Amino acid sequence: MTRYLTGIQSSGQPHLGNILGAIEPAIRFSQHVSGEFMYFIADFHSLTTIKDAEVRRQNTLSVAACWLAFGFDTDKHTLFCQSHRPEVTELTWYLGCFTPYPMLANAHSFKDKSDRLADVNAGLFYYPVLMAADILLYNINVVPIGKDQVQHLEIARDIASSINHIYQQDIFVLPEPSVDKNVMIIPGTDGQKMSKSYNNTIDIFQEEKPLRKTIMSIKTDSTPLEEPKDPDTCTVYKLFTLLADEGQTAEMRNNYLQGNYGYGTAKQSLYELITSKFQQERLLFHQLMANPKKLDDILKAGALKAKPIAEATLSRIKKATGF
Ligand code: ADP
Ligand code: TRP
């Protein structure tokens, strides 16, 4: 059976961009494709940027609650927290000793991050080796990822095939990337790509009042109320179409084109659509967040399911290298 794995860092509260661009499609995929799915929260990865223990714990819980609120089936599949399987850090060391230094020095993601971040630590540099360990530890066949992660997957494949070659054994399964070309880029409140690094996110789990305030802060142009407006350049309309059905979209489009329709009214409709469409997910998310013990138990059960595979892989590499 094909085994799939993907991870999402616990470096912030999950936002609408993460949900529509990664979490919802991944859950739909796990419901419609036969195979075994392992989804995990990459909390060790987030230590490269987040040093505050409480912030990281809250982020980890909220990413887990988000996966569950959107319907990830933990009876059929596995949801776990990266750090709950410590074999991953041990494997990282073995892999690192077979990773040519220039391969890491040339990674785009390290170059991008080291240009942007004040804290350029060795963890950031070593990140692709930890990511390779995430994948190789669990004998993964397919890794659904965004375009920006393809190079990391190539690194994982290179390390795995070089070790298999040196020891003339199938120690690691070679993973394939799966890049969904149809994934949309969700715009943030300023019209750029929604990202926690740009401070333009919409947190659909916020309480109603602050959520409404965020929606009202979406940047629009200064076309006067009476005049017709261009829906195709407007972020409010774009976000609305991502969530609305055809009839609702056509109605808003018509309102824009006719004039006498203000951005405030469009924003109010977007706010109402978000709260009604995600009513159940919002409720479930808050119930889960109010019960961290239950969330911890779900994550621990996931890590326990992942344990035998992790132990077997680690024992293969230890045996081959003579430890
Ligand atoms: P951020 O940019 O907020 O730091 P991450 O890089 O942690 O988000 O992304 C986690 C996942 O969510 C990735 O799979 C990424 O491709 C997806 N994602 C993030 N922002 C968006 C967006 N604006 N549109 C579509 N997908 C997104
Ligand atoms: N590096 C990925 C990101 O920033 C997250 C991640 C960590 C991951 N380990 C992984 C994704 C293993 C897929 C497989 O989005």
Side-chain angles (χ1 to χ4, degrees):
M1 180 150 54
T2 307
R3 191 178 285 151
Y4 296 83
L5 166 135
T6 200
I8 189 160
Q9 286 197 57
S10 46
S11 50
Q13 286 277 120
H15 55 68
L16 189 61
N18 302 144
I19 291 168
L20 298 182
I23 295 174
E24 249 199 340
I27 292 173
R28 242 181 289 129
F29 193 61
S30 74
Q31 288 163 343
H32 296 119
V33 172
S34 84
E36 186 185 345
F37 289 81
M38 300 181 76
Y39 289 158
F40 74 99
I41 301 145
D43 59 341
F44 274 146
H45 281 276
S46 69
L47 185 59
T48 56
T49 50
I50 299 201
K51 306 299 197 251
D52 186 304
E54 194 43 40
V55 170
R56 196 176 42 261
R57 173 163 166 78
Q58 280 309 313
N59 290 344
T60 301
L61 292 177
S62 56
V63 174
C66 182
W67 280 104
L68 296 168
F70 275 84
F72 185 64
D73 184 348
T74 51
D75 290 334
K76 255 200 192 142
H77 305 299
T78 307
L79 178 71
F80 67 107
C81 182
Q82 183 186 27
S83 66
H84 292 179
R85 283 277 39 98
E87 295 83 1
V88 78
T89 49
E90 195 172 345
L91 180 60
T92 300
W93 181 254
Y94 288 98
L95 301 182
C97 294
F98 294 85
T99 307
Y101 171 84
M103 198 149 101
L104 298 183
N106 291 328
H108 318 301
S109 143
F110 176 70
K111 286 190 191 157
D112 288 352
K113 287 184 182 159
S114 55
D115 284 346
R116 261 191 306 122
L117 299 175
D119 171 21
V120 183
N121 54 65
L124 211 55
F125 183 74
Y126 223 62
Y127 186 112
V129 187
L130 179 58
M131 180 160 162
D134 288 330
I135 300 165
L136 301 178
L137 189 61
Y138 302 110
N139 302 335
I140 298 303
N141 307 104
V142 180
V143 187
I145 35 169
K147 261 207 307 248
D148 60 321
Q149 298 296 317
V150 170
Q151 193 186 29
H152 287 156
L153 207 87
E154 282 162 6
I155 294 176
R157 283 179 64 89
D158 284 353
I159 302 172
S161 56
S162 131
I163 295 176
N164 286 351
H165 180 74
I166 292 169
Y167 295 101
Q168 287 295 305
Q169 294 173 42
D170 289 333
I171 299 173
F172 298 117
V173 171
L174 294 194
E176 300 283 344
S178 155
V179 181
D180 184 351
K181 294 189 180 65
N182 301 320
V183 163
M184 308 155 287
I185 299 289
I186 314 300
T189 52
D190 57 359
Q192 291 191 74
K193 176 187 178 228
M194 187 180 296
S195 168
K196 54 189 166 286
S197 337
Y198 305 145
N199 248 325
N200 63 357
T201 60
I202 297 174
D203 174 0
I204 64 153
F205 300 118
Q206 265 185 328
E207 295 302 327
E208 294 188 352
K209 224 170 149 188
L211 175 60
R212 185 168 183 279
K213 200 168 159 209
T214 309
I215 305 290
M216 289 296 160
S217 76
I218 297 173
K219 220 161 101 185
T220 48
D221 65 24
S222 52
T223 314
L225 176 83
E226 329 63 77
E227 280 184 30
K229 298 177 179 61
D230 181 2
D232 299 321
T233 55
C234 179
T235 308
V236 183
Y237 178 77
K238 169 92 198 185
L239 288 168
F240 190 84
T241 61
L242 292 169
L243 304 170
D245 62 31
E246 266 176 44
Q248 291 168 313
T249 303
E251 189 186 340
M252 185 177 277
R253 188 170 185 86
N254 203 26
N255 287 333
Y256 268 67
L257 297 173
Q258 279 192 342
N260 270 323
Y261 181 76
Y263 288 123
T265 314
K267 289 175 181 175
Q268 180 64 27
S269 299
L270 175 60
Y271 162 73
E272 285 167 12
L273 183 61
I274 289 178
T275 48
S276 62
K277 190 175 170 83
F278 297 124
Q279 188 184 20
Q280 197 194 332
E281 288 82 357
R282 280 165 55 87
L283 194 72
L284 217 62
F285 177 88
H286 288 291
Q287 281 170 355
L288 287 162
M289 288 304 281
N291 193 349
K293 162 91 176 57
K294 183 171 173 192
L295 277 172
D296 279 334
D297 288 347
I298 292 173
L299 293 174
K300 278 187 199 147
L304 214 57
K305 263 205 243 174
K307 187 176 178 189
I309 318 166
E311 285 179 342
T313 307
L314 199 59
S315 118
R316 287 196 301 277
I317 184 71
K318 286 175 82 165
K319 202 161 157 217
T321 50
F323 286 88

